[in-house]
């Protein structure tokens, strides 16, 4: 409904996600819902049964002659390059070539008339292996100097020297587990062959341009022969940033060789076994501090289990280092990142991208310091916060937009922290076995890709002669609401109702050379590109009005759903049609490159982020110290999204991110057998949180703030930061157990920590 | 799924005869374990004989001081049946805590006991209450029924027809569920029976067993305090991806205390 006062669905309105009803009634189309042509082939990839082995012989003749089989693919059949590494490091073969590096690595693929036929045929393979010694843990990798990349150090001051001068010191270790993405929709690609050997790839990916690149590389063709389209994903969380390519490439090879459409969809077990996860980390530290709990020196090492290949591990480990300060100023700090190569599936991007592990490390240090001094852990945290004079990070970036102190102060009051902490102390004194814990943890999360060239985005907007608009940009929709937010931005900029903006699937043929929808930057970058495109159109339309109607610039006003030119008022539709009749171009591209950012890995210094997002949470838990069962009874969150583009979507992201983080730190335990096989590869053994795990009292408030940087409508990114709010839950449990509590804090881990001297 | 012969006989005798006549047959009741097993080819029987059409395997009745439950009765039926709730409330509660709603509406008590999963819930109740397992050939006492991991006293082709539980109004079952599967990492059923206190444990070992030391202590003094000093050994307990043996040993005592407290 148009009205004259304001548009519907503009920036700041809490409208629901554009596909909400379609998600609910089943009409939202995912890759597996696309009706396949009758002669389509279905692929299955045969996973390595060994963690590390040479392939000494391979006889696939029975596979080839099995029922329904059209094609069997091995490394020898790849006409282009046998590599799907996102960083072109050459260590991510599409199909194993002579050796296997982890259990689950694809050795060959079968294309058959049905998935069942392909799976059944694959079992007929005769492969001989010569097993090789496998590295299956961080400690084994460290002992054998097995790394995927060189170490990174970030430092300021003199950590080593000041540790010697410190009034108090302590050292410790912390083990942090990985996490499966558990997107509800698994990896899936459908490839339709086109003329001249070209391919159209429908793919569930956060990074269509990378899928395009890898498919072209594997096929040995130019990228212009490959078009990738993504309408939506059923969740991504980083797991479809680099992990979507192999399946698209195998389906594309099949389409190219057979001329038939080809689909590859991993079943859940294969998806969990064959694709990368969040990096497990091992932290060790030595900290120096004064009697007030001010940290004067910190030397910390963050070691990650990267799995068998580099993938994005360098940037992920770096982001852990960038966040090892969290909100705290540490004048003498040295943090070292080591990236271990093990014979496991290659670990990859996952919401937070290393930052959660870095923050877990420093929050452990804060609690240990408070414990040693017998102080309130929150007081110690507050005493160490960045402030106006102490505002330089260990990587040399000045923290200019610090709102952590205000957020903590507001949340402390709103959540009644002091009173509840006192009540909990009393409760614990009166209860022998059930103990309560409370913790407040803040967060500061840097926004921008730390890989500089990725900080670019494009958009394409068409206005049709009837005044309707079609919107396209390089960002992908994975349920997070990006498409809705960008459409709101365009509605605002054109000053027309949202219902006239048609959202369209991401397509490499429309906007080229895009970056992944990752690093929380989807809206910041694509929203800004779309805004710039819309502004170009407004400028052109204004110029048209000036020339056609002979008015001054100030006499052209774009009002809600109408345009005022001098004394005349046109509906937007009438005005656009008039411009069309006068041969005005009604299509525009927009391009945005994030300003101000730089980082030099050689010196470990720079400004890798345009700005920081902030937040804080208070968790209260109840722990049964006889069994280790923990229940989160109340959570209060205050989170900074700048000027919210859409409070409904932002609250959803905060709630979902927090719960996913609680899953990582409590229930979600990946268990690897001694021979390197993942034993937890289905929901029957791997537990993600559900509705029932939502705390009974769950208060989420948006912090009143605007981005001091020139971001789109002064908003801030929201995708990843709320994940780290869950650290307060882990710290609240630790308040009960003390001791060495490994993450995830499963009941057994909690019981073990309870039994240790603190 | 692979191809197999499927039959739905109407009588127990027909079912047994068909089993006898096939090379490698299996019975299917609710199929909650068998169907996934078949899908994964962990078992590939030539014949699958469905017991769901046999009327005499269904129903719950009070027979003197015994509650008799047909083998094909689902967990959901046991959980909500008036006779069970009135006479053995702890058994109804146990059945209501098995798996999830779809498992409870498909899965049967006979199927569960024939399968004898070490982490199933019923075995603890069967042992603690001193149930009798009736088959098409004989009656087996609870104490003789559980033999090894996934192994029972049932002969090849023998069909459980019903299970008789002595009425017992003072009993309680406590379990520590795996958060993902809801199977018992450990479960303890405590019953005050005419023959004394019975404590039976499931989930923790290769098959359900009774905890004699706790039974003796509780016979003397039915209180949490009386078992608090007992050390449960982790010897022979399961150690797997879900929990260590020592964690299970700890759980047995904690759950037993919870059960005693729930009764007292």
């Amino acid at each position: 409904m148009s009205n004259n006062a304001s548009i519907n669905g503009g920036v700041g309105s809490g409208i629901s996600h554009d596909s909400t009803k379609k998600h609910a009634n089943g009409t939202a189309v995912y890759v597996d819902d696309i009706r396949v042509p009758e002669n389509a082939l279905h692929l299955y990839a045969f996973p390595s049964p060994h963690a590390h082995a040479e392939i000494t012989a391979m006889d696939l003749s029975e596979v080839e002659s099995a029922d329904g089989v059209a094609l069997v693919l091995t490394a020898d059949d790849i006409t282009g390059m046998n590599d799907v590494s996102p960083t072109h490091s050459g260590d991510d073969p599409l199909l194993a070539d002579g050796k296997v590096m982890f259990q689950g690595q694809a050795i060959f693929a079968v294309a058959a008339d049905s998935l069942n036929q392909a799976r059944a045929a694959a079992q007929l393979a005769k492969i001989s292996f010569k097993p090789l010694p496998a590295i299956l843990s961080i400690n084994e990798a460290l002992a054998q100097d097995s790394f995927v990349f060189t170490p990174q150090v970030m430092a300021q001051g003199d950590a080593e020297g000041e540790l010697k001068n410190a009034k108090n010191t302590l050292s410790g270790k912390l083990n942090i587990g990985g996490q499966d993405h558990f997107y509800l929709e698994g990896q899936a690609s459908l490839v339709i062959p086109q003329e001249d050997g070209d391919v159209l790839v429908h793919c569930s990916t956060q990074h269509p341009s990378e899928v395009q690149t890898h498919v072209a590389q594997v096929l040995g063709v130019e990228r212009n022969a490959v078009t990738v389209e993504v309408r939506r994903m059923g969740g991504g969380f980083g797991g479809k940033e680099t992990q979507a390519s192999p399946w698209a490439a195998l389906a594309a090879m099949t389409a190219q060789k057979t001329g038939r459409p080809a689909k590859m969809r991993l079943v859940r077990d294969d998806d969990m076994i064959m694709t990368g996860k969040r990096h497990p980390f091992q932290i060790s530290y030595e900290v120096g501090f004064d009697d007030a709990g001010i940290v004067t020196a910190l030397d910390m090492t963050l070691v990650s289990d990267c799995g068998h290949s580099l993938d994005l591990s360098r940037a992920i480990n770096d982001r852990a280092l960038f966040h090892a300060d969290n909100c705290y100023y540490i004048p003498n700090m040295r943090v070292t990142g080591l990236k271990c190569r093990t014979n496991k599936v290659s670990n990859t991007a996952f919401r937070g991208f290393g930052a959660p592990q870095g923050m877990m490390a420093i929050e452990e240090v804060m609690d240990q310091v408070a414990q040693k001094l017998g102080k309130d852990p929150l007081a110690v945290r507050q005493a160490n916060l960045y402030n106006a004079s102490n505002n330089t990070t260990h990587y040399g970036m000045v923290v200019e937009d610090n709102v952590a102190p205000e957020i903590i102060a507001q949340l402390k009051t709103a959540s009644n922290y002091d009173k509840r902490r006192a009540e909990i102390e009393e409760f614990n004194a009166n209860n022998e076995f059930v103990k309560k814990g409370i913790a407040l943890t803040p967060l500061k999360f840097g926004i921008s890709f730390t890989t500089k060239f990725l900080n670019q985005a494009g958009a394409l907007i068409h206005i049709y002669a009837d005044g309707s608009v079609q919107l396209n940009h390089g960002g992908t929709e994975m349920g997070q609401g990006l498409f809705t937010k960008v459409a709101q931005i365009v509605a605002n900029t054109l000053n027309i109702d949202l219902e006239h903006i048609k959202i369209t699937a991401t397509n490499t043929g429309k906007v080229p050379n895009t970056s992944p929808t990752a690093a929380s930057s989807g809206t910041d970058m694509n929203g800004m590109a779309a805004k710039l495109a819309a502004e170009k159109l407004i400028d052109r339309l204004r110029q048209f009005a000036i020339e056609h109607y002979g008015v001054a610039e100030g006499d052209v006003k774009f009002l809600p759903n109408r345009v005022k030119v001098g004394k005349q008022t046109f509906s937007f539709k009438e005005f656009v049609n008039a411009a069309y009749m006068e041969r005005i171009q009604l299509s525009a591209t927009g391009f945005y490159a994030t300003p101000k950012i730089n980082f030099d890995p050689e010196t470990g210094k720079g400004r890798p982020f345009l700005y920081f997002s902030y937040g804080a949470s208070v968790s209260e838990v109840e722990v049964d110290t006889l069994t280790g069962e923990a229940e989160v009874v109340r959570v209060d969150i205050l989170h900074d999204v700048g000027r919210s583009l859409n409070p409904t979507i932002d609250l959803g992201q905060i709630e979902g991110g927090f719960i996913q983080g609680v899953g990582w730190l409590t229930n979600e335990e990946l268990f690897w057998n001694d021979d390197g096989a993942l034993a937890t590869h289905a929901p029957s053994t791997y537990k993600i949180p559900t509705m029932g795990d939502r705390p009974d009292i769950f208060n989420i408030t948006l912090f009143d703030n605007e981005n001091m940087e020139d971001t789109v409508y002064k908003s801030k990114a929201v995708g990843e930061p709320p994940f780290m709010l869950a650290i307060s839950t882990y710290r609240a449990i630790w308040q009960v157990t003390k001791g060495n509590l490994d993450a995830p804090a499963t009941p057994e881990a909690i019981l073990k920590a309870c039994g240790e001297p603190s | 799924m692979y191809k197999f012969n499927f039959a739905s006989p109407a009588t127990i005798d027909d079912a047994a005869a068909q089993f006898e006549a096939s090379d490698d047959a299996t019975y299917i009741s609710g199929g909650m374990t068998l169907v996934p097993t078949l899908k994964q080819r962990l078992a590939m029987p030539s014949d699958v004989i469905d017991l769901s059409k046999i009327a005499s395997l269904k129903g719950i009745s009070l027979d003197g001081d015994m509650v008799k439950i047909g083998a094909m009765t689902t967990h959901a039926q046991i959980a909500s049946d008036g006779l069970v709730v009135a006479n053995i409330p702890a058994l109804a509660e146990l059945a209501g805590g098995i798996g999830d709603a779809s498992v409870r509406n498909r899965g049967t008590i006979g199927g569960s006991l024939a399968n004898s999963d070490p982490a199933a819930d019923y075995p603890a109740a069967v042992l603690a209450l001193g149930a009798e397992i009736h088959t098409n050939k004989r009656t087996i006492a609870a104490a003789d029924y559980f033999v090894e991991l996934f192994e029972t006293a049932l002969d090849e082709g023998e069909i459980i027809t019903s299970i008789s539980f002595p009425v017992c109004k003072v009993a309680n079952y406590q379990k520590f569920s795996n958060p993902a599967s809801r199977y018992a990492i450990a479960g303890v059923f405590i019953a005050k029976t005419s023959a004394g206190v019975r404590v039976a444990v499931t989930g923790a070992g290769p098959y359900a067993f009774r905890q004699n030391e706790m039974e003796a202590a509780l016979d003397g003094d039915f209180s949490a305090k009386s078992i608090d000093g007992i050390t449960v050994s982790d010897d022979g307990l399961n150690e797997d991806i879900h929990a260590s043996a020592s964690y299970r040993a700890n759980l047995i005592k904690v759950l037993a205390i919870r059960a005693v407290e729930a009764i007292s």
Side-chain angles (χ1 to χ4, degrees):
Chain A
M1 285 290 290
S2 295
N3 74 60
N4 287 347
S6 63
I7 58 164
N8 293 327
V11 161
S13 58
I15 54 166
S16 61
H17 187 286
D18 73 274
S19 297
T20 301
K21 285 182 186 158
K22 291 186 279 185
H23 291 155
N25 68 19
T27 55
V29 175
Y30 296 85
V31 172
D32 200 38
D33 301 323
I34 298 172
R35 197 168 288 246
V36 292
E38 210 168 63
N39 61 340
L41 291 168
H42 299 264
L43 277 104
Y44 174 76
F46 184 83
S48 164
H50 293 279
H52 192 199
E54 234 176 81
I55 299 172
T56 52
M58 186 153 78
D59 175 5
L60 303 178
S61 52
E62 283 186 39
V63 184
E64 281 161 2
S65 59
D67 275 355
V69 171
L71 183 71
V72 176
L73 296 169
T74 67
D76 293 339
D77 299 308
I78 297 170
T79 45
M81 202 187 290
N82 185 13
D83 186 42
V84 286
S85 162
T87 51
H88 307 286
S89 53
D91 59 356
D92 263 320
L94 175 64
L95 292 169
D97 192 2
K99 67 174 177 180
V100 288
M101 295 293 287
F102 69 98
Q103 279 222 18
Q105 182 173 356
I107 296 178
F108 66 91
V110 191
D113 292 333
S114 74
L115 178 57
N116 281 346
Q117 285 176 325
R119 282 169 69 100
Q123 311 311 317
L124 303 172
K126 295 195 180 83
I127 308 176
S128 306
F129 297 94
K130 183 186 164 199
L132 299 170
I135 297 173
L136 297 172
S137 70
I138 285 176
N139 285 336
E140 286 169 43
L142 289 174
Q144 297 180 45
D145 283 331
S146 174
F147 299 108
V148 294
F149 207 79
T150 51
Q152 176 73 49
V153 176
M154 295 180 197
Q156 70 179 346
D158 175 15
E160 209 177 339
E162 290 304 316
L163 275 170
K164 289 191 187 109
N165 295 333
K167 184 82 191 295
N168 311 289
T169 60
L170 60 84
S171 58
K173 278 186 188 296
L174 177 64
N175 292 313
I176 305 169
Q179 185 179 26
D180 189 84
H181 298 86
F182 223 102
Y183 24 63
L184 287 185
E185 177 208 25
Q187 305 282 350
S189 281
L190 169 65
V191 178
I192 315 286
Q194 310 287 301
E195 284 182 31
D196 305 322
D198 295 0
V199 287
L200 168 62
V201 183
H202 295 281
C203 182
S204 180
T205 177
Q206 293 169 248
H207 199 349
S209 287
E210 185 173 284
V211 172
Q212 177 193 29
T213 302
H214 283 150
V215 167
Q217 195 169 288
V218 166
L219 297 183
V221 300
E222 291 192 301
R223 292 182 202 176
N224 61 14
V226 179
T227 302
V228 179
E229 178 159 308
V230 189
R231 172 57 184 89
R232 62 170 64 76
M233 285 161 273
F237 310 116
K240 292 172 181 169
E241 187 173 344
T242 71
Q243 304 295 297
S245 290
W247 328 113
L250 290 170
M253 280 177 73
T254 303
Q256 193 198 44
K257 288 181 195 294
T258 63
R260 294 167 65 177
K263 180 152 109 174
M264 183 149 201
R265 178 179 66 80
L266 298 187
V267 300
R268 180 64 57 181
D269 300 77
D270 291 342
D271 195 305
M272 290 185 79
I273 290 167
M274 301 177 93
T275 69
K277 315 183 184 308
R278 184 185 297 285
H279 290 62
F281 267 66
Q282 189 173 295
I283 315 292
S284 56
Y285 64 87
E286 189 174 4
V287 59
F289 49 101
D290 66 16
D291 289 340
I294 307 273
V295 174
T296 53
L298 177 66
D299 191 0
M300 185 145 73
T301 303
L302 308 178
V303 190
S304 56
D305 179 347
C306 302
H308 78 98
S309 71
L310 180 59
D311 190 74
L312 301 175
S313 292
R314 181 189 182 189
I316 290 165
N317 197 280
D318 283 355
R319 189 169 274 269
L321 304 193
F322 285 127
H323 291 80
D325 59 338
N326 197 8
C327 299
Y328 313 113
Y329 174 70
I330 301 165
N332 303 288
M333 176 163 174
R334 178 172 67 187
V335 54
T336 307
L338 302 176
K339 306 147 190 118
C340 290
R341 189 192 295 277
T342 59
N343 292 109
K344 287 184 181 170
V345 65
S346 189
N347 286 318
T348 192
F350 195 149
R351 201 176 200 170
F353 206 73
Q357 295 94 323
M359 282 187 205
M360 277 287 284
I362 187 67
E363 293 302 332
E364 168 82 8
V365 170
M366 288 296 149
D367 272 338
Q368 293 284 359
V369 167
Q371 164 78 358
K372 182 84 180 261
L373 297 173
K375 288 187 176 297
D376 175 358
L378 179 53
V380 168
R381 286 183 167 88
Q382 286 178 299
N384 282 289
L385 292 174
Y386 283 109
N387 58 42
S389 46
N390 294 326
N391 58 5
T392 307
T393 66
H394 54 295
Y395 48 91
M397 179 170 169
V398 177
V399 182
E400 294 168 330
D401 55 8
N402 185 15
V403 290
E406 291 97 302
I407 286 180
I408 292 172
Q410 278 186 30
L411 182 64
K412 188 180 169 187
T413 307
S415 67
N416 243 330
Y417 174 87
D418 285 331
K419 182 163 172 274
R420 286 164 61 202
R421 194 171 136 81
E423 285 168 0
I424 283 170
E425 270 178 34
E426 196 186 321
F427 176 92
N428 289 345
N430 294 320
N431 283 275
E432 193 180 354
F433 301 126
V434 176
K435 303 283 184 187
K436 288 184 178 184
I438 188 169
L440 186 155
T441 58
L443 78 88
K444 159 182 133 286
F445 186 84
I447 303 297
S448 292
F449 287 95
T450 58
T451 303
K452 187 175 175 181
F453 76 86
L454 293 175
N455 293 287
Q456 55 175 314
L460 174 65
I461 298 179
H462 306 314
I463 305 178
Y464 294 97
D466 66 350
S468 67
V469 174
Q470 209 175 72
L471 165 63
N472 197 271
H473 53 80
T476 56
E477 176 63 44
M478 59 194 99
Q480 85 280 39
L482 170 69
F483 281 11
T484 306
K485 282 185 173 178
V486 177
Q488 286 178 273
I489 289 164
V490 171
N492 236 68
T493 312
L494 297 176
N495 217 355
I496 59 173
D497 290 339
L498 183 68
E499 67 220 44
H500 301 302
I501 319 276
K502 176 71 74 182
I503 286 170
T504 58
T506 316
N507 186 304
T508 55
K510 287 190 178 174
V511 176
N513 307 319
T514 56
S515 293
T517 305
S520 306
S521 63
T523 306
D524 279 19
M525 298 204 319
N526 296 289
M528 196 59 114
K531 183 165 180 273
L532 293 169
E535 282 169 356
K536 263 192 206 171
L537 290 164
I538 291 287
D539 284 349
R540 254 183 236 156
L541 288 167
R542 180 181 288 111
Q543 203 55 41
F544 152 73
I546 293 167
E547 285 168 18
H548 187 70
Y549 299 101
V551 295
E553 188 174 336
D555 291 331
V556 185
K557 292 200 175 76
F558 288 85
L559 303 171
N561 296 308
R562 62 201 197 280
V563 184
K564 199 172 173 203
V565 182
K567 292 195 168 107
Q568 282 182 282
T569 300
F570 305 93
S571 69
F572 186 75
K573 178 179 172 174
E574 289 164 348
F575 182 70
V576 161
N577 194 52
Y580 165 73
M581 296 307 287
E582 291 301 317
R583 300 184 295 170
I584 301 300
Q585 189 195 3
L586 294 172
S587 175
T589 59
F591 181 80
Y592 176 71
T594 312
K596 296 187 180 179
I597 49 176
N598 65 78
F599 180 71
D600 178 3
E602 289 296 316
T603 59
K605 296 283 181 189
R607 175 181 181 159
F609 308 118
L610 178 60
Y611 65 91
F612 294 102
S613 285
Y614 297 85
S617 61
V618 182
S619 291
E620 181 178 333
V621 301
E622 205 171 284
V623 177
D624 183 329
T625 60
L626 294 174
T627 59
E629 292 162 284
E631 192 190 346
V632 187
V633 293
R634 175 174 169 178
V635 172
D636 296 78
I637 289 171
L638 183 57
H639 195 78
D640 165 33
V641 296
R643 286 275 161 259
S644 178
L645 292 166
N646 183 324
T648 303
I649 286 174
D650 285 344
L651 286 170
Q653 284 292 296
I654 294 166
E655 180 169 334
F658 174 83
I659 297 282
Q660 190 172 41
V662 171
W664 169 51
L665 293 173
T666 60
N667 264 336
E668 297 183 40
E669 186 176 27
L670 292 164
F671 191 97
W672 305 81
N673 288 337
D674 292 342
D675 59 357
L678 179 66
T680 45
H681 50 75
S684 53
T685 46
Y686 184 80
K687 174 64 180 167
I688 61 167
T690 59
M691 282 292 284
D693 297 300
R694 196 179 181 276
D696 287 343
I697 305 173
F698 197 12
N699 303 314
I700 306 175
T701 310
L702 299 179
F703 180 64
D704 185 17
N705 195 22
E706 69 172 36
N707 201 331
M708 66 178 277
E709 296 298 335
D710 190 19
T711 55
V712 65
Y713 291 102
K714 292 287 183 186
S715 64
K716 285 192 177 186
V718 72
E720 293 162 289
F723 182 87
M724 284 146 275
L725 294 167
I727 293 173
S728 69
T729 299
Y730 173 86
R731 296 314 325 172
I733 295 169
W734 186 88
Q735 285 299 325
V736 173
T737 65
K738 304 293 169 55
N740 287 323
L741 178 64
D742 285 342
T746 61
E748 187 164 358
I750 291 170
L751 188 73
K752 184 164 165 271
C754 283
E756 286 176 355
S758 54
Chain B
M1 194 61 85
Y2 69 101
K3 280 185 182 158
F4 50 78
N5 300 316
F6 184 79
S8 274
T11 67
I12 295 170
D13 288 348
D14 279 356
Q18 286 179 19
F19 189 98
E20 194 65 35
S22 359
D23 295 341
D24 176 23
T26 189
Y27 298 116
I28 185 167
S29 46
M32 293 296 87
T33 301
L34 182 64
V35 172
T37 309
L38 297 181
K39 276 184 173 175
Q40 292 176 50
R41 311 288 192 273
L42 295 172
M44 293 183 72
S46 60
D47 292 72
V48 174
I49 300 165
D50 171 31
L51 302 179
S52 68
K53 301 286 187 291
I54 304 174
S56 61
L57 295 178
K58 294 176 187 168
I60 299 173
S61 60
L62 187 62
D63 184 6
D65 59 353
M66 302 287 261
V67 176
K68 193 172 177 185
I69 301 176
M72 287 299 287
T73 311
T74 64
H75 315 322
Q77 287 165 343
I78 293 171
S80 60
D81 184 84
L83 271 181
V84 182
V85 171
N87 292 291
I88 320 174
L91 181 64
E93 209 170 301
L94 174 149
I98 296 173
D100 57 20
S102 50
V103 168
R104 290 194 291 273
N105 280 295
R106 286 289 311 168
T108 68
I109 185 169
S112 173
L113 287 173
N115 184 48
S116 189
D117 190 299
D121 296 300
Y122 286 124
V126 166
L127 271 184
L129 294 168
E132 291 172 347
I133 291 145
H134 309 294
T135 76
N136 58 338
K137 296 180 177 169
R138 58 189 164 144
T139 292
I140 307 171
D144 303 328
Y145 182 75
F146 303 101
V147 175
E148 247 310 331
L149 184 69
F150 288 110
E151 249 191 75
T152 66
L154 292 175
D155 291 334
E156 190 71 11
E158 193 171 0
I159 299 171
I160 298 177
T161 53
S162 64
I163 301 97
S164 293
F165 291 91
V167 169
C168 177
K169 291 179 182 168
V170 187
N172 188 264
Y173 178 62
Q174 295 285 331
K175 83 162 157 173
F176 194 89
S177 300
N178 177 292
S181 67
R182 301 283 161 196
Y183 270 111
I185 288 177
V188 177
F189 197 106
I190 296 184
K192 277 186 170 174
T193 74
S194 52
V197 176
R198 294 285 177 267
V199 179
V201 179
T202 190
Y207 53 96
F209 60 90
R210 278 170 54 186
Q211 228 293 350
N212 298 321
E213 203 182 344
M214 287 186 184
E215 289 181 356
L218 291 170
D219 264 333
D221 169 21
F222 195 86
S223 73
K225 211 173 5 160
S226 74
I227 52 174
D228 200 30
I230 293 174
T231 306
V232 178
S233 161
D234 60 10
D235 211 24
L237 297 187
N238 298 337
E239 173 115 15
D240 54 29
I241 67 170
H242 308 299
S244 66
S246 63
Y247 187 64
R248 283 191 164 93
N250 175 68
L251 286 179
I252 290 170
K253 190 159 108 181
V254 173
L255 295 171
I257 290 171
R258 283 184 187 174
V260 169
E261 283 172 345
I263 291 169
S264 319

